[in-house]
């Protein structure tokens, strides 16, 4: 695969872009939020993170080796590490080790290499893994804990952490619900949103991350900062994040105005769950999103709408992963209908009419 | 002046600083000059000299043939050594008929056509004849015979002569230097061309990375009310004809039409200078400024080179190589052609000779496409390289054609930007070549089919005529018989 192309034709100059550089920049953008969350959730989170990323790298190596290439040949592009990283960020931080390993099998073996490897997969590998785990192990995947910051009074020692990640220490005693989950459960008990919302952490805490949730769900601000960094570096454009967040906010706001007892408002929708992680880091995955800017607008709006619908009406409190996968399946069609207009041609591909000069 | 945005484009490393402050220097006359008969788009010229002939500088040694062609002239005085097959500058590595001149060192001018003292009072045709006679072709690289392009003013109403000083290719500085050192001549030439075209206005577009050129040209144009110098944004490929036309006028040239259909004709600045020399002094095009640059060249220079000089001489004049170049390029790095050998001669369309190191080229192994879509963002033609390439790889050329691959003008932006280093342009060149070939084949088949059909129709018609004649005859006979029987009947009654 990696052959120097005997390029006889121009150009004879190339940009410094590379897949590796792109992936490394994304990892860099994720780093602050990740570090903060590892600190918030302590040793069990660190262990799970290491296991998940390691498992994804190992899965990548095994797939590549199976196809007869040197096992490490594609690890360098960083895509497997990124998948593992994103998967780890979407797991409950105190989930047991096997969720990471099983997730790696789902993500790398099934969602990525069964389709032909990097660039060939139709669905976002990390989201496939997350959804597969959520459907298979709903209890484990929705058992959240409140933050136990490192070095704080309720921080866990390494031994306890090992027991949580690799043992089978039950978590029930300290589990807590995420904001969206809590509102949803209360709603099903007949308690209106207007009342339940007063009991969840305030918006400031949600923004900073002092709340229960997966690593990627908490600390919206650091994720946002990472996303803006990616935009500044030209790795992603505004099209997907703005439309995802915008349509979600719009739906939330409009329906909340109509019936505040039934619908959470736009700000809560945007600040909670995996909205920022999804909008900036998951939905923008190159491989599984449309290639043209117009297509990306359609895609982003679709994700925003589906996320809101699933969060509001379906059985799961968080809909981002499902929405992304749904829109992934539409990507080929979106691509087909959102090609840019050719220079000197109409949208249909006919030559432009010659304007008669006055 | 209000400018209009153009789609896509990239910002390669321009590296113009290697050469932009180097004044034009003349190359000492080499020992031998190789003048290929075809240096332009169109039919090759026909040699007028043979071995042993003595020629003077500026004497026509090959004449243009057909409507799209250009003559060639001796770049110096000397003796014809041979008219023979020599390796051409074309990347195919093929030879072509070439006139070899042995200079006599005197550099004596031939009797040149009389200067046209007041070009603005003569008929446009006189200018066009002079340009045609002087062997001038587009010097920006395309090498299209300039007289043919000036003739566009006959059928179409031309509102604007757009003089292209964008020089958007990295490294190249020859146009920049020509504008800075020969500004008056360029502007004079542009006005003469505008007169030939019947264009009331001239705009000279220069990319903003050449502030001195803009300043000098603006000053030189100040006295001319119908000549305007405009700085255009630095955005490759700003210098492409359709893109520049759009940036200046806002008009988008319809596919398969010419900018001239919109009333705009684009010529290169160096071409304008060549026209000026031909009109004002009767001097044909026998030399041109070439940028010799790249990290592998010891002393990058802008050199005034007699047409036909072997590239090796030029490299030698610039101090030779500092290291073995990774790539040798004829033209700019984005759209130039690979140089097959140092023995090939400089021709009228040669704007640059680049010797690039591996570190400059940054060529790297190809990896799988990650669908980042940036190739779509940068394509000035609004194409989808990411979608066309896989179809071409699977030889689905018809799909690629539907996706518009024939609109691609190989600007190289997509290949330049691709993080997976996929040789996209290479695919598109291949597809365009194959499709053009198929098209030719198809035309041939269709012609044969049409001929066969016509033949069939002729035979059918003849058959029908025969049948009709036969039927008429039979009818006549039957009628005769009938009347005969009737007569018999009558007789029998
Ligand atoms: S730039 Fe390269 S990697 Fe990106 S979509 Fe185009 S072909 Fe694929
Ligand atoms: S080379 Fe062709 S496809 Fe690529 S950017 Fe240029 S015009 Fe578009």
């Amino acid at each position: 695969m990696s052959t120097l192309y005997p390029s006889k034709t121009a150009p004879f100059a190339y940009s410094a872009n590379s897949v590796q550089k792109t992936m490394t920049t994304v990892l860099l953008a994720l780093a602050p939020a990740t570090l903060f969350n590892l600190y918030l959730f302590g040793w069990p989170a660190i262990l799970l993170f290491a296991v998940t990323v390691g498992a994804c790298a190992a899965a990548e190596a095994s797939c590549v080796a199976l196809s007869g290439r040197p096992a490490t040949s594609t690890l360098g592009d960083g895509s497997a590490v990124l998948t593992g990283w994103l998967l780890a960020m979407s797991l409950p931080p105190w989930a047991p080790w096997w969720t990471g390993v099983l997730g790696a099998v789902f993500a790398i073996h099934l969602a990525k290499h069964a389709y032909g490897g990097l660039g060939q997969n139709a669905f976002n590998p990390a989201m496939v893994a997350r959804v597969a785990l959520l459907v298979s192990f709903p209890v484990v995947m929705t058992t959240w804990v409140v933050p136990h910051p490192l070095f704080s009074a309720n921080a866990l020692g390494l031994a306890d952490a090992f027991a949580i990640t690799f043992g089978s220490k039950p978590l029930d005693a300290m589990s807590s619900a995420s904001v969206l989950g809590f509102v949803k459960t209360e709603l099903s008990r007949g308690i209106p949103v207007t009342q339940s919302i007063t009991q969840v952490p305030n918006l400031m805490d949600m923004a900073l991350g002092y709340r229960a949730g997966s690593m990627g769900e908490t600390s919206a601000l650091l994720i946002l900062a990472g996303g803006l960094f990616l935009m500044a570096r030209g790795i992603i454009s505004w099209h997907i994040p703005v439309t995802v967040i915008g349509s979600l906010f719009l739906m939330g706001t409009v329906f909340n105005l109509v019936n505040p007892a039934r619908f959470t408002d736009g700000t809560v929708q945007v600040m909670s769950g995996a909205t920022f992680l999804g909008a900036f880091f998951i939905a923008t995955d190159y491989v599984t999103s449309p290639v043209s800017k117009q297509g990306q607008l359609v895609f982003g709006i679709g994700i925003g709408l589906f996320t809101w619908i699933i969060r509001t009406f379906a059985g799961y409190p968080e809909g981002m992963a499902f929405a992304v996968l749904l829109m992934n399946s539409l990507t080929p069609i979106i691509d087909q209908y959102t090609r840019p207009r050719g220079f000197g041609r109409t949208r249909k591909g006919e030559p432009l009419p010659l304007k008669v000069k006055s | 002046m209000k400018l209009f945005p153009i789609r896509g484009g990239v910002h390669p490393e321009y590296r113009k600083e290697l050469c932009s402050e180097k004044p034009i220097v003349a190359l000492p006359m080499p020992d031998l000059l190789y003048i290929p008969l075809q240096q332009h788009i169109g039919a090759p010229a026909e040699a007028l000299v043979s071995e042993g002939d003595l020629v003077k500088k500026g004497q026509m040694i090959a004449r243009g043939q057909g409507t799209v062609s250009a003559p060639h002239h001796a770049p110096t005085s000397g003796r014809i050594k041979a008219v023979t097959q020599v390796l051409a500058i074309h990347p195919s590595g093929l030879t072509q008929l070439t006139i070899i001149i042995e200079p006599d060192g005197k550099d004596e001018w031939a009797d040149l056509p009389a200067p046209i003292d007041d070009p603005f009072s003569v008929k446009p045709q006189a200018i066009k004849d002079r340009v045609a006679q002087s062997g001038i072709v587009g010097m920006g690289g395309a090498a299209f015979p300039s007289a043919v392009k000036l003739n566009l003013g006959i059928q179409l109403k031309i509102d604007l002569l757009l003089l292209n000083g964008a020089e958007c290719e990295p490294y190249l500085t020859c146009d920049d230097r020509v504008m800075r050192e020969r500004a008056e001549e360029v502007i004079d030439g542009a006005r003469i061309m505008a007169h030939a075209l019947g264009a009331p206005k001239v705009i000279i577009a220069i990319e903003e990375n050449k502030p001195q050129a803009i300043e000098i040209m603006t000053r030189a144009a100040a006295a001319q009310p119908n000549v305007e110098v405009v700085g255009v944004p630095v955005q490759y490929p700003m210098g492409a004809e359709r893109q520049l036309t759009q940036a200046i006028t806002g008009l988008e040239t319809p596919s398969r039409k010419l900018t001239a259909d919109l009333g705009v004709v684009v010529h290169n600045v160096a071409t304008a200078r060549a026209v000026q020399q031909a009109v004002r002094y009767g001097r044909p095009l026998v030399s041109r400024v070439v940028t010799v640059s790249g990290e592998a060249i010891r002393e990058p220079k802008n050199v005034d080179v007699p047409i036909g000089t072997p590239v090796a001489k030029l490299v030698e004049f610039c101090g030779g190589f500092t290291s073995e170049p990774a790539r040798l390029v004829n033209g700019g790095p984005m759209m130039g052609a690979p140089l097959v050998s140092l023995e090939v001669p400089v021709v009228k369309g040669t704007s640059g000779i680049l010797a690039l190191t591996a570190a400059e080229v940054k060529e790297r192994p190809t990896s799988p496409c990650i669908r980042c879509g940036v190739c779509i963002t940068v394509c000035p033609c609004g194409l989808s390289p990411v979608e066309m390439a896989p179809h071409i790889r699977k030889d689905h050329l018809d799909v690629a054609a539907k996706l518009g691959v024939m609109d691609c003008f190989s600007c190289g932006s997509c290949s330049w930007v691709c993080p997976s280093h996929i040789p996209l342009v290479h695919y598109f060149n291949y597809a365009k070549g194959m499709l053009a070939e198929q098209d030719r084949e198809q035309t041939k088949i269709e012609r044969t089919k049409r001929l066969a059909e016509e033949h069939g129709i002729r035979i059918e018609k003849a058959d029908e005529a025969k049948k009709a004649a036969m039927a008429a005859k039979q009818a006549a006979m039957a009628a005769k018989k009938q009347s005969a029987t009737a007569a018999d009947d009558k007789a029998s009654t």
Side-chain angles (χ1 to χ4, degrees):
Chain A
M1 180 80 54
S2 297
T3 49
L4 197 62
Y5 202 90
S7 163
K8 284 275 163 50
T9 46
F12 303 102
Y14 296 94
S15 62
N17 298 349
S18 72
V19 175
Q20 187 182 18
K21 215 166 145 181
T22 304
M23 299 291 174
T24 317
T25 313
V26 178
L27 295 181
L28 205 64
L30 277 173
T34 311
L35 288 176
F36 180 67
N37 279 294
L38 292 180
Y39 155 77
L40 270 192
F41 292 105
W43 281 109
I46 296 172
L47 293 176
L48 180 65
F49 182 81
V51 166
T52 311
V53 172
C56 280
E60 176 82 12
S62 71
C63 286
V64 174
L66 270 179
S67 71
R69 286 171 288 159
T72 53
S73 57
T74 61
L75 276 182
D77 67 29
S79 68
V81 171
L82 178 57
T83 299
W85 195 310
L86 288 171
L87 174 59
M89 294 194 73
S90 69
L91 297 176
W94 288 18
W97 64 276
W98 51 263
T99 53
V101 173
L102 207 55
V105 172
F106 285 138
I108 303 289
H109 285 110
L110 299 181
K112 184 177 178 189
H113 281 278
Y115 281 84
L118 181 62
Q120 303 293 313
N121 48 301
F123 297 98
N124 186 314
M127 289 304 102
V128 169
R130 183 190 141 93
V131 164
L133 288 171
L134 182 61
V135 174
S136 318
F137 310 100
V139 176
V140 177
M141 287 295 288
T142 51
T143 305
W144 312 107
V145 292
V146 291
H148 289 59
L150 282 176
F151 322 117
S152 71
N154 63 352
L156 256 64
L158 201 49
D160 285 338
F162 262 96
I164 286 173
T165 309
F166 296 101
S168 50
K169 191 170 173 195
L171 280 177
D172 293 347
M174 24 182 164
S175 73
S176 158
S178 66
V179 176
L180 288 171
F182 175 73
V183 172
K184 183 151 226 149
T185 321
E186 295 295 278
L187 204 56
S188 66
R189 296 195 315 168
I191 296 169
V193 175
T194 24
Q195 191 180 329
S196 60
I197 203 77
T198 56
Q199 294 166 37
V200 302
N202 67 25
L203 276 181
M204 199 57 195
D205 279 350
M206 282 165 76
L208 291 176
Y210 286 99
R211 57 165 160 149
S214 70
M215 291 206 289
E217 288 180 13
T218 60
S219 170
L221 281 187
L222 285 175
I223 296 280
L224 175 67
L228 294 178
F229 168 74
L230 284 188
M231 274 197 218
R233 297 297 292 268
I235 301 286
I236 60 171
S237 62
W238 59 267
H239 301 78
I240 293 179
V242 167
T243 45
V244 170
I245 296 171
S247 52
L248 190 55
F249 179 76
L250 200 72
M251 292 306 280
T253 310
V254 168
F255 278 82
N256 178 257
L257 283 177
V258 173
N259 184 355
R262 171 67 182 85
F263 301 102
T264 44
D265 74 43
T267 320
V268 174
Q269 285 285 347
V270 169
M271 296 303 289
S272 58
T275 305
F276 282 107
L277 186 74
F280 286 99
F281 289 91
I282 310 266
T284 53
D285 171 40
Y286 287 155
V287 176
T288 55
S289 63
V291 283
S292 77
K293 297 284 172 263
Q294 293 94 318
Q296 290 171 4
L297 294 177
V298 176
F299 182 78
I301 292 172
I303 290 182
L305 291 186
F306 277 127
T307 304
W308 182 81
I309 291 172
I310 294 165
R311 280 182 182 177
T312 313
F313 301 109
Y316 292 94
E318 173 52 313
M320 185 57 92
F322 291 101
V324 167
L325 292 179
L326 272 170
M327 290 311 290
N328 284 165
S329 71
L330 292 179
T331 292
I333 294 178
I334 296 176
D335 269 341
Q336 217 172 336
Y337 287 99
T338 54
R339 285 190 200 110
R341 181 179 68 82
F343 187 96
R345 291 185 181 273
T346 61
R347 278 239 150 259
K348 284 210 182 94
E350 302 297 324
L352 286 178
L354 201 57
K355 278 194 207 108
V356 190
K357 278 183 289 168
S358 47
Chain B
M1 189 181 153
K2 181 181 178 297
L3 294 177
F4 299 85
I6 63 167
R7 188 186 197 283
V10 294
H11 296 94
E13 269 181 67
Y14 282 95
R15 310 305 316 270
K16 303 235 186 207
E17 70 286 351
L18 286 173
C19 244
S20 59
E21 299 316 311
K22 305 274 174 70
I24 301 169
V25 284
L27 183 81
M29 190 56 67
D31 340 323
L32 287 175
L33 293 174
Y34 300 79
I35 319 291
L37 292 183
Q38 178 150 35
Q39 305 182 27
H40 48 265
I41 293 177
E46 183 193 8
L48 295 173
V49 291
S50 48
E51 192 184 328
D53 288 358
L54 294 179
V55 293
K56 292 256 174 78
K57 183 172 182 176
Q59 179 183 333
M60 191 184 286
I61 52 173
R63 71 162 162 243
Q65 296 191 97
T67 42
V68 182
S69 187
H72 303 303
H73 303 77
T76 185
S77 56
R79 200 180 64 90
I80 304 298
K81 187 161 181 255
V83 180
T84 181
Q85 293 287 332
V86 169
L87 191 63
I89 197 161
H90 193 264
S92 63
L94 297 177
T95 60
Q96 70 151 309
L97 209 53
T98 302
I99 300 172
I100 307 178
I101 302 180
E102 203 167 12
D104 59 13
K106 293 187 219 144
D107 207 28
E108 246 177 302
W109 281 98
D111 290 332
L112 296 176
I116 302 177
D117 291 325
D118 185 5
F120 304 104
S121 65
V122 301
K123 287 228 174 68
Q125 195 54 47
I127 307 284
K128 286 181 269 192
D129 287 345
R130 174 59 59 87
V131 171
Q133 199 184 357
S134 305
I136 298 173
V137 302
M139 292 169 76
F144 190 80
S146 301
V148 181
K149 228 168 154 185
L150 289 178
N151 270 332
L152 288 168
I154 296 178
Q155 314 104 19
L156 300 162
K157 190 181 160 305
I158 303 300
D159 310 312
L160 175 66
L161 167 63
L162 186 49
L163 210 60
N164 189 348
E167 200 165 50
C168 61
E169 275 274 10
Y171 294 89
L172 301 188
T173 54
C174 50
D175 287 352
D176 184 13
R177 290 312 308 187
V178 166
M179 287 189 286
R180 280 157 78 173
E181 297 181 39
R182 297 165 181 176
E184 304 285 347
E185 296 168 20
V186 171
I187 286 168
D188 192 24
R191 292 179 61 229
I192 296 170
M193 286 167 115
H195 172 63
L197 282 164
K201 186 161 176 61
V202 179
I203 291 181
I204 304 173
I206 305 170
E207 268 194 0
E208 274 156 358
N209 56 3
K210 292 178 269 296
Q212 295 97 329
I214 294 178
E215 196 201 313
I216 293 171
M217 291 289 284
T218 308
R219 218 179 311 130
Q224 309 299 341
N226 66 335
V227 180
E228 194 179 343
V229 176
V230 176
V232 291
V234 181
Q235 179 183 2
Y236 178 88
M238 183 54 85
E241 204 164 276
R242 286 153 193 261
Q243 272 63 32
L244 193 64
T245 302
Q246 187 175 33
I248 297 289
T249 65
L251 298 173
E252 183 174 335
T253 315
S255 168
R256 282 183 255 152
K257 294 280 182 208
L258 302 170
T259 58
D261 290 308
L262 304 172
V264 182
V265 170
V266 185
H267 277 286
N268 169 269
V269 284
T271 313
R273 196 241 167 200
V275 167
Q276 190 259 0
Q277 295 286 305
V279 170
R280 295 273 184 198
Y281 307 104
R283 288 181 201 147
L285 178 58
V286 290
S287 70
R288 69 154 299 147
V289 181
V290 178
T291 299
V292 186
S293 189
E295 289 288 352
I297 293 279
R298 197 173 305 278
E299 302 157 31
K301 283 179 180 153
N302 298 296
V303 192
D304 199 342
V305 188
I307 303 297
T309 302
V311 168
K313 291 282 171 218
L314 206 51
V315 172
E316 194 182 298
F317 180 66
C318 295
F321 296 135
T322 49
S323 58
E324 187 59 29
R327 289 281 175 204
L328 272 178
V329 186
N330 160 26
M334 297 300 284
M335 286 184 78
L339 209 50
V340 279
S341 149
L342 284 177
E343 300 312 314
V344 298
V346 167
V347 294
K348 292 171 179 175
T350 309
S351 47
I353 298 292
L354 306 180
L356 306 173
T357 61
E360 284 176 284
V361 180
K362 300 206 205 80
E363 218 162 301
R364 276 161 304 174
T366 298
S367 58
C369 168
I370 53 168
R371 290 177 38 89
C372 67
V374 55
C375 51
I376 298 182
T377 312
V378 302
C379 178
C381 291
L383 301 174
S384 177
V386 50
E387 207 178 345
M388 297 193 297
H391 285 301
I392 296 168
R393 206 161 29 202
K394 287 184 226 131
D395 245 329
H396 296 159
L397 296 181
D398 47 328
V399 186
K402 271 212 198 81
L403 292 173
V405 72
M406 292 308 272
D407 285 1
C408 160
F409 68 104
S410 304
C411 74
S413 301
C414 52
S415 284
W416 181 85
V417 83
C418 177
S420 294
H421 317 116
I422 298 168
L424 296 161
V425 184
H426 190 83
Y427 290 135
F428 306 150
N429 287 340
Y430 164 79
K432 284 190 286 181
M434 292 299 277
L435 285 166
E437 179 84 3
Q438 278 176 13
D439 208 38
R440 274 196 293 277
E441 282 293 309
Q442 195 55 38
T443 325
K444 215 155 104 195
I445 292 171
E446 262 161 29
R447 235 185 98 217
T448 322
K449 215 167 107 194
R450 211 182 59 228
L451 286 177
E453 268 168 13
E454 276 170 8
H455 181 67
I457 290 169
R458 262 206 307 279
I459 290 180
E460 245 168 56
K461 274 202 185 130
D463 271 359
E464 262 166 36
K466 232 189 255 168
K467 266 190 209 140
M470 195 95 110
K473 220 167 161 188
Q474 271 169 1
M477 261 176 36
K480 227 191 214 162
K481 227 187 198 161
Q482 211 167 27
S483 62
T485 9
D488 281 355
D489 285 352
K490 233 189 240 166
S492 59
T493 47

